[in-house]
Structures are given as C-alpha cells and as structure tokens.
Amino acid sequence: MSAKREGLSQGVNPEDGCEINIYSKICQIFRKSKSQPWFFSGRDDALSDIIGGIVLTAVVVAGIGMMAVVLLSDVPPAEIPVLRVDLADSKATITLVHSGGDSVYREDARIMVDGVDRTDDFKLLTDDGELVDWNVFSTGDWLVSSIPRDAVEEVQLSSIGSEVPTVIQALVSQPVSVSPPPIVYFTFSPTSGYVPLVVSFTDLSGGDIINRLWDFGDNSTSTDVNPVHIYNRSGIFTVTLTLCNAAGCNSTTDNITVFGFDDFIVNESVFVYGNRMIFEGDNVVGDGSTIVITGDLTGDDLNGDAKVGVSNIYIEGSVELSGSQVLGNATSPGILYINGSLSLEGGSEVYGNNIYVADDVVLTSGNIYGNIYTFGSFDFIGGNTYGEVHTKGSLSLTSGNVHDDIYIDGDLTLGWTPTIDSGVSIYYTGSISHPDWYSQDILDKCHHVDSVPDFSMPGFSTPPIPSARLDGWYSDHGYVSGKNLYSGIKIFADSYKRTAKSTDSAENIVIVAKTGDIELNKFGGIPVTGVLFAPNGEVIFGGSSFESFEGVVIAKEGFSVERGGVDVTFRNIENYIPNRDDFPWSDSF
C-alpha cells in the first residue's frame, strides 16, 4: 500500500498531516498558509477558504447545541388536577359531586363511563335547580347525567392535557353519602294578625341539614326545627330560613304582617273594648262593629231585655244569658267568639254567621241563629238551633227543635221526644243510646259515620290596651285638664267625672283618663258623642236622666251603663280623629 493510501486509511491527509474530520478543511487552510498570513498571500482563494471554514464551524456548533437541547432538556408535562370526586347517593343516575380540590375545565377533561366517552351527557346543576352545559367543575358542583347508575360499573374522570390521557379518579358505581345544599321551604300560621301575634313556623325543607337558622325580621332568631315566635310590635317582617350542609347553604324568605292597636280599632270597627260590659240600658247598636270583652258576660251584667246588637263579639271568658237578652246582630251577623262556655235559658238569643265556643254549650231554652262549633259537649235540653251544630264532644238531645244538621265527633244520647225537621240528619262517630220505647222516626234520622267534618277554633288575638302618651304630648295637641265640658273639647286628666249642667253640650269630645275612671252623669237630653279612653280605669254612664252615647269606648276595666232607656251607638274612631298620628294612646304596650 502506498503512503497516501495508508494515510487516508488512517484518517490523515498525506499532504499536510491533518486528520480527516469535521475540522479538516480548516486545518488544511491553515497548513497551506503557514508560511505567511492569508492576507499577505498571493493566492486569490485564501479569503474564501477561511470564511467558508468559519461558516461551517458555526453550523456544526448550532447543530450540536440543538441536539443537546433535545437530548438534555426536561420539559414539564401538563399539570394534573388534584381533587376528590364522589357519586351522589341521592341520585338513581350517575351524578358526580366535586368534594374538594382543584377545578376541572371541560376542555382539559373527559368523563368515561365503562370505557365510553360520555362527557356531553353530563350537565351542571345550578343553585336554581336547572341543568346547564358545564365549562368548569369546582368544589360543591354537581354534574348530573341521565345514565342509570345500576347499569354502570366504573366512571373515570380523565385529564387530556397531556398527549396520553391520565385518569384523575376512577369511581365504582357504589355511591358515597354526599348531599346537595338543602332545598329550603317553610310555612307559617297565621300569616298576619294583630300584636301580640303568635306565629308557628314549620320547616318543610328537603335534603341533608347540618345547620339551621331562623331570622324573624325583628332582631330575633332561632335554631329550632319548628319554632313558635311572638311578635310584640306592628310592622311587615321578613322571615328568613337558612339551611346549610357540607355542600353549602340555601335560604328563602317570606313576609308576615303584624297589625297594631291602631289597625285593630279602625279595621275591626271596635266599639267597646274592656274586661267587662255592664249594660242596664235598652240597645247597643253596632252594625258591622266589634265588641271585645276580656272577661265574662253574664245575665247579671245585662238588663233583662237588653239587646247587644253588635256584629262581631269576642269574649275571652264565658257567656250566660237569661230572660230576653240578645247577643249579636240579627241583620248583620258576624263572628261570635267565646273562649269559655255558653249557656242560654229563658228567651235569650245569640246571632252569628259562625259561633265558636271553646268549652261546653247548654241550651235550656232560647235560640241559636247561625252555625255553632263547640270543642266541648252540647247539652240540648230545649230551645232551637237555626244552623248546623258541630261538636268535638258528645251531644245529649232531650227536647227542643233541630232545624239543621248536627255533626257529633263522639256519642249521641237521645231522650224524650225532640223535633227534627224533615230532611235534617244527625251524624255521630261514637255510640248511640236511647230509651227502648224511642221513636223510630227519630232514630231513622240518626246515622253512625266514621268521621264528621273537622273544624278548629279560629286564631284570635287582641292587642292589649296601650298606655297613655307622655303628658307633654297632650298639651302640644290641644288637650286641657279643666272640668268644664263642651263640644269639641279634648280633656286629659288622671281621672274625670262630670255631672251635666244645663249649659253643657258634649258632642265630638275626646276624654283621656290616664290612671283612673271617666264618669259622666245625668246628661239627659244632651247628646254625648266622641272617644273615651281610660287605659287603667272604667267608663261609667250614670244618673237617672242619661239617654244616649255615640262613639268609641276603650277602657281596661270595662264599660258600664247604669240605667235603663239608654241607647249606645257605634261610630268609628276616624269620625272623630281622622289622623292616626293623633290617636290618644302610645305606640308601645
């Protein structure tokens, strides 16, 4: 082998001793120009050779750098979310619950159900209960599908942020106990009424509940399930119920209207308000008006033939009438509410569209006009019932006349021979007893039934009589403390007593007795009209010549008319005091 061939075979240029590699061209150039620098060389190609060598070197170095970047760099992969996803236990379909951790974005994820991509089948459950397309799945969110859970073995939530999808979480179809935020719903009764208003609340919400808070709108709260709250001032109150669990909180609101004493006096057309009424006069005329008696009303309180012709009568105690006394308005009947017992004898009568009695009824003689509802027993000894009779207790029918159906949620006892109109029936749920010889015609009108129409005592509360205003208010509003009485005067005193003189007139008056009674005597032939307010005392009409009164009486200890021949007529308070801001009592109780 020649020396040249041998040099080539060893990778060495035989002419200049340079190795044959990526730098051989540069080596050759420098070898050829080693006797003198290239810029002094006479050869024309020296410059081009050197420039070419430099360019080649740059290309090679760049290529090596690129290879190093590819081989040695560590590019971070797409970040995989860290989270916990559960299956809701309250759903028959596949429903995913985000129980904490990172949010998942739809563009970076997919939901596989038994190996099939079902991402589009899942919808986001909004706070309003609507299902919408989802873009982000975050803590507390629910993704709901229509895929039956009992037909599924595995659900996978995968990230597709990298080239190869990564399973974030795999769930078997067995659910975990996870609930959505509670669905809040409540009711309350009554929805409105007069102060003090007792309201019963019932929570009818659904779902898992960890915390509960009632806000009654009057700076009072409760954590009870079904609280009872008393409103002691008037206004419109917003009630809020907030329920929370691990998934979050929901709230709902409703309004309660509480009316004050002003509303009560005006809206109910209150005529007399006090703990008793003693009436020795002839007639109380109150079409469409209301009387409130916070105690009992007995025959001793009324003249033997007194007629209390008031439409709506609320009596917190019991009623006993005798003689020819009348309670209620025959031409304009309303509600007769007796929070005790009722006893009628003689020729006494009661009138009402609906008559409610909290305890027993004894009808010895007399008449009941209107439907009567009693929560005790009914002893029907004689007299007449012109309306349906409903009783929660037993009924004993001895005599008397029955003109409408009777409903007994208890036992029926028959005696003697009462008269039952044609087409009228008696229905009872308990047992029946009667003499062996009893009339079959009456027995045929008695029917045993499993149940009778139910009823309840209507909710009724009266605001307490308020106190007088501060003394300065009366002087600022034209009240005087003198004893003289004349039409249009406004009097404010601790107590007030006046015996009429021939020069007296007493129309459109307002009298306020702060601590005692108001007593007017011998106003014969002189009309007395206006507003009489005794928050701690009684209003008394006395003297043999007293004839009439028209207006409103509000007295804690009641209203007393001490002689016969007197007529008392209702007039709404707004006839005398049009502006409620001028009512002569305090806003507080």
Side-chain angles (χ1 to χ4, degrees):
M1 180 181 297
S2 65
K4 184 174 183 179
R5 180 178 295 276
E6 183 179 357
L8 289 174
S9 66
Q10 294 175 354
V12 177
N13 190 327
E15 295 180 357
D16 54 20
C18 292
E19 296 181 358
I20 300 176
N21 53 35
I22 58 176
Y23 296 104
S24 61
K25 183 64 177 178
I26 298 174
C27 179
Q28 293 176 16
I29 292 173
F30 279 99
R31 290 291 185 185
K32 291 180 180 180
S33 59
K34 63 183 177 180
S35 59
Q36 58 181 355
W38 62 268
F39 43 84
F40 291 114
S41 173
R43 297 178 59 182
D44 295 334
D45 60 349
L47 179 59
S48 63
D49 286 342
I50 291 197
I51 291 175
I54 292 173
V55 172
L56 177 60
T57 300
V59 170
V60 170
V61 171
I64 293 173
M66 291 176 65
M67 291 176 64
V69 169
V70 172
L71 297 175
L72 301 178
S73 65
D74 185 14
V75 179
E79 187 173 337
I80 306 300
V82 177
L83 73 161
R84 175 187 167 188
V85 178
D86 295 311
L87 291 177
D89 64 344
S90 60
K91 294 288 183 180
T93 58
I94 295 296
T95 299
L96 304 181
V97 181
H98 195 305
S99 299
D102 296 334
S103 296
V104 175
Y105 296 88
R106 180 168 180 166
E107 61 185 11
D108 297 329
R110 65 183 178 188
I111 302 171
M112 307 294 292
V113 178
D114 288 342
V116 179
D117 186 353
R118 302 295 294 271
T119 307
D120 292 339
D121 293 324
F122 287 82
K123 302 294 182 181
L124 182 69
L125 179 65
T126 68
D127 292 339
D128 298 327
E130 297 181 0
L131 295 176
V132 299
D133 290 336
W134 69 281
N135 295 311
V136 182
F137 183 37
S138 301
T139 300
D141 287 346
W142 283 45
L143 291 181
V144 180
S145 76
S146 59
I147 306 170
R149 189 168 60 202
D150 57 6
V152 173
E153 294 184 2
E154 186 181 51
V155 180
Q156 292 181 344
L157 181 63
S158 300
S159 170
I160 57 173
S162 59
E163 184 174 326
V164 178
T166 303
V167 176
I168 303 172
Q169 195 163 356
L171 305 168
V172 293
S173 60
Q174 296 175 335
V176 221
S177 180
V178 177
S179 298
I183 299 173
V184 187
Y185 176 65
F186 68 89
T187 61
F188 54 94
S189 179
T191 58
S192 64
Y194 295 103
V195 61
L197 183 64
V198 180
V199 182
S200 298
F201 296 88
T202 303
D203 184 358
L204 299 175
S205 304
D208 182 30
I209 299 171
I210 297 177
N211 295 313
R212 174 184 288 102
L213 180 64
W214 294 89
D215 185 336
F216 300 116
D218 62 348
N219 298 321
S220 299
T221 61
S222 175
T223 57
D224 293 345
V225 177
N226 300 314
V228 175
H229 183 65
I230 301 176
Y231 288 92
N232 289 308
R233 57 187 175 90
S234 60
I236 299 175
F237 300 95
T238 298
V239 180
T240 304
L241 174 59
T242 301
L243 303 176
C244 300
N245 62 18
C249 299
N250 276 332
S251 298
T252 191
T253 63
D254 210 335
N255 291 331
I256 291 177
T257 301
V258 183
F259 299 104
F261 191 77
D262 292 359
D263 302 302
F264 179 66
I265 295 298
V266 173
N267 297 345
E268 303 296 328
S269 297
V270 174
F271 172 30
V272 173
Y273 188 132
N275 70 357
R276 64 176 182 168
M277 185 175 72
I278 298 174
F279 187 68
E280 295 296 330
D282 288 349
N283 298 290
V284 178
V285 181
D287 294 359
S289 67
T290 298
I291 282 180
V292 177
I293 300 173
T294 58
D296 296 330
L297 181 65
T298 70
D300 293 338
D301 296 329
L302 303 178
N303 184 13
D305 59 356
K307 296 177 177 57
V308 183
V310 178
S311 296
N312 302 301
I313 300 175
Y314 297 92
I315 300 174
E316 285 294 325
S318 296
V319 174
E320 296 180 9
L321 299 182
S322 59
S324 301
Q325 297 157 349
V326 176
L327 187 63
N329 193 302
T331 59
S332 180
I335 292 178
L336 176 55
Y337 178 104
I338 301 171
N339 199 25
S341 60
L342 171 64
S343 177
L344 301 180
E345 60 182 343
S348 55
E349 299 178 343
V350 294
Y351 291 86
N353 282 330
N354 293 304
I355 303 165
Y356 296 94
V357 182
D359 210 333
D360 300 333
V361 174
V362 177
L363 179 57
T364 302
S365 59
N367 303 305
I368 298 176
Y369 295 90
N371 298 324
I372 183 166
Y373 302 85
T374 174
F375 289 77
S377 61
F378 196 120
D379 195 357
F380 200 151
I381 300 171
N384 295 270
T385 54
Y386 295 93
E388 293 180 355
V389 174
H390 297 256
T391 175
K392 293 278 189 181
S394 61
L395 185 140
S396 175
L397 180 57
T398 304
S399 186
N401 302 288
V402 180
H403 301 287
D404 208 334
D405 293 339
I406 296 178
Y407 299 90
I408 309 162
D409 195 6
D411 299 333
L412 170 61
T413 300
L414 299 172
W416 297 103
T417 53
T419 301
I420 303 176
D421 284 357
S422 175
V424 172
S425 295
I426 299 176
Y427 302 92
Y428 61 95
T429 62
S431 61
I432 184 172
S433 59
H434 56 82
D436 293 339
W437 48 263
Y438 210 70
S439 167
Q440 188 62 43
D441 180 61
I442 294 177
L443 293 176
D444 289 342
K445 296 180 179 180
C446 301
H447 310 283
H448 184 270
V449 292
D450 293 333
S451 63
V452 292
D454 195 15
F455 62 91
S456 59
M457 197 79 167
F460 174 71
S461 64
T462 56
I465 294 177
S467 60
R469 294 179 182 268
L470 297 176
D471 293 3
W473 182 90
Y474 295 98
S475 59
D476 292 342
H477 286 75
Y479 284 75
V480 297
S481 58
K483 293 293 184 180
N484 293 328
L485 188 63
Y486 52 85
S487 293
I489 194 173
K490 295 187 291 185
I491 295 174
F492 171 70
D494 287 339
S495 60
Y496 184 81
K497 182 176 181 178
R498 180 69 175 173
T499 299
K501 296 180 179 179
S502 59
T503 56
D504 285 335
S505 64
E507 296 184 77
N508 196 23
I509 63 173
V510 180
I511 301 177
V512 177
K514 181 178 180 180
T515 58
D517 300 334
I518 298 173
E519 185 175 349
L520 302 178
N521 294 312
K522 297 183 179 180
F523 277 78
I526 300 174
V528 179
T529 66
V531 179
L532 307 178
F533 176 47
N536 295 290
E538 183 179 7
V539 170
I540 303 167
F541 287 167
S544 58
S545 60
F546 194 91
E547 292 184 0
S548 68
F549 169 75
E550 293 183 4
V552 177
V553 174
I554 301 170
K556 181 179 180 181
E557 297 302 325
F559 177 44
S560 178
V561 177
E562 297 180 343
R563 65 172 297 273
V566 177
D567 290 334
V568 176
T569 305
F570 163 76
R571 292 287 181 269
N572 194 292
I573 190 173
E574 291 187 323
N575 287 294
Y576 307 103
I577 309 175
N579 189 341
R580 294 191 185 189
D581 292 337
D582 295 330
F583 286 178
W585 44 73
S586 172
D587 293 332
S588 59
F589 300 98

